[in-house]
Structures are given as structure tokens and as C-alpha cells.
Amino acid sequence: MRLEGWHLIIIIVLALVLFAAPKLPSMARSIGQSMRIFKSEVREMKKDGASETKDTQASSDAVEGRVVDHPDAKAKNNGETDVPPSNRV
């Protein structure tokens, strides 16, 4: 007698039913919860990707890599800063 693939599947299913029967409902519940979380995360990632492309198109005229109208640039760094003086004694 030769063991084939479907024989092994039947043996595994029987072993699960015999030895893991009390734990099967909790395992199925946790798998279902994990799938729900996974689906919601995928949905959020798709939403974020769509909003990022809209934001990129809307801010195409933004200046990158330069500081515009910074107080130190106006004061030419003559000891003036944009930090208010502290009232410590």
C-alpha cells in the first residue's frame, strides 16, 4: 500500500479534529480578526496613496530647499535671533 497526497491530507485533518478541537473556534476567530485588520490597513494605504497624489499635484509650485523670509536672513545674523529672551534670574 502506497501513501499518496490525499491520504496525508485526511490524516492531518483527523489529527486536527481529534487533538485541537477545543481550540479550533478561538483559532478561527483570531484568523478572522487578523484578516479584518489586514483588509482595513490595505484600504487605508490605498486611501493614503490617493491623497498623496492629490497633495503632490496641488503643491507643485512649492519652493523646496530654501528658507523664505527667515528672521536671521533679514537681520543678516548680527546677533539678532528669532528666539525671545528668557526671564530667568
Side-chain angles (χ1 to χ4, degrees):
M1 183 173 161
R2 192 170 164 204
L3 226 53
E4 293 183 16
W6 63 276
H7 290 116
L8 291 176
I9 292 173
I10 291 175
I11 292 172
I12 291 171
V13 168
L14 286 175
L16 279 174
V17 169
L18 290 175
F19 297 113
K23 296 181 181 181
L24 285 177
S26 64
M27 288 172 34
R29 192 176 307 114
S30 67
I31 289 173
Q33 185 179 13
S34 298
M35 289 302 295
R36 264 183 268 131
I37 291 171
F38 181 74
K39 285 179 183 178
S40 68
E41 290 297 322
V42 168
R43 201 173 306 124
E44 286 296 319
M45 286 176 60
K46 286 181 181 178
K47 257 192 227 177
D48 289 344
S51 67
E52 283 178 6
T53 56
K54 290 178 185 175
D55 291 343
T56 305
Q57 292 171 353
S59 64
S60 62
D61 58 352
V63 177
E64 293 185 23
R66 289 192 311 182
V67 178
V68 180
D69 295 331
H70 191 271
D72 282 344
K74 288 180 182 177
K76 295 185 182 168
N77 207 6
N78 292 331
E80 297 178 26
T81 64
D82 57 344
V83 179
S86 63
N87 293 335
R88 290 187 178 177
V89 177

